Amino acid sequence: MIEKFGKKIEVSIHKDILSDGDAEEIIALIKNENIDTILSKLSFNVIREYLSLAIKSDHIFLFTCKIEKKVIGHALFAEKPQYLVSEFSNLKFKILFDLFKKIKFFQLINILISVLKLDLFLLKNDYKSLIKDSLNLNLLAINKEYRSKGIGK
């Protein structure tokens, strides 16, 4: 536990179980604070399934920070970027269908660029191997009410 501005910040890693309340608060953060991500464009149920797969994975780690039992931030790490595809492969058709149904073509194009590795095309080989073998921070959000107040230092 960390103490900032007279309040205790509880940082937790979620493994195996994510309460419905925590899931709802994380999804609200994703939808409100990560608005440009593909994940934020998905339905509540698909995001909930995504989070459930993440916490059951041995290669993906979901952290939250809470103040007074309210989730004010989250972070999702993957041991390597490849796990962001392999661990969620069961969801790929649900994600594509969800985006197609909502007519989110820009996000579909982003997925295609990533799958075809076009986003790495112009990088030097040294950078490609560094990316391939590095811990990957995939999602991070802090509730806007708590930003610029020293949380994260």
Side-chain angles (χ1 to χ4, degrees):
M1 217 170 290
I2 305 164
E3 201 157 328
K4 278 278 193 191
F5 40 88
K7 295 184 179 184
K8 292 181 180 179
I9 301 172
E10 178 186 337
V11 178
S12 305
I13 183 169
H14 298 271
K15 280 289 174 197
D16 300 322
I17 297 173
L18 182 64
S19 74
D20 289 338
D22 283 352
E24 287 177 20
E25 290 181 41
I26 293 168
I27 292 168
L29 279 172
I30 290 168
K31 294 234 178 237
N32 296 319
E33 310 297 339
N34 296 122
I35 58 173
D36 294 325
T37 64
I38 292 170
L39 192 60
S40 71
K41 307 301 187 226
L42 300 175
S43 68
F44 180 92
N45 290 337
V46 173
I47 298 172
R48 180 66 166 109
E49 207 170 330
Y50 178 91
L51 293 173
S52 293
L53 287 172
I55 64 170
K56 291 176 183 164
S57 170
D58 291 330
H59 305 288
I60 296 180
F61 311 98
L62 177 65
F63 291 86
T64 56
C65 55
K66 294 180 179 183
I67 291 181
E68 297 172 352
K69 298 185 180 188
K70 177 185 176 194
V71 175
I72 62 154
H74 70 85
L76 188 79
F77 291 90
E79 284 179 355
K80 295 182 180 181
Q82 72 190 34
Y83 295 123
L84 294 170
V85 175
S86 64
E87 297 296 295
F88 300 113
S89 64
N90 292 344
L91 279 181
K92 65 184 167 193
F93 292 114
K94 284 184 182 181
I95 291 170
L96 292 173
F97 180 74
D98 211 27
L99 292 173
F100 188 73
K101 182 174 72 174
K102 293 179 177 186
I103 311 172
K104 298 293 183 183
F105 294 114
F106 184 70
Q107 284 74 23
L108 289 166
I109 290 168
N110 277 341
I111 290 172
L112 183 64
I113 288 169
S114 181
V115 168
L116 296 175
K117 299 187 190 298
L118 296 176
D119 54 339
L120 302 175
F121 183 71
L122 297 175
L123 288 179
K124 294 179 182 177
N125 285 334
D126 292 346
Y127 292 127
K128 288 179 186 177
S129 62
L130 181 65
I131 289 169
K132 180 181 165 197
D133 296 327
S134 295
L135 182 68
N136 183 282
L137 172 59
N138 184 256
L139 273 179
L140 172 68
I142 296 291
N143 184 304
K144 61 184 158 223
E145 295 174 26
Y146 295 92
R147 289 189 208 149
S148 302
K149 294 187 180 181
I151 295 176
K153 288 185 179 179

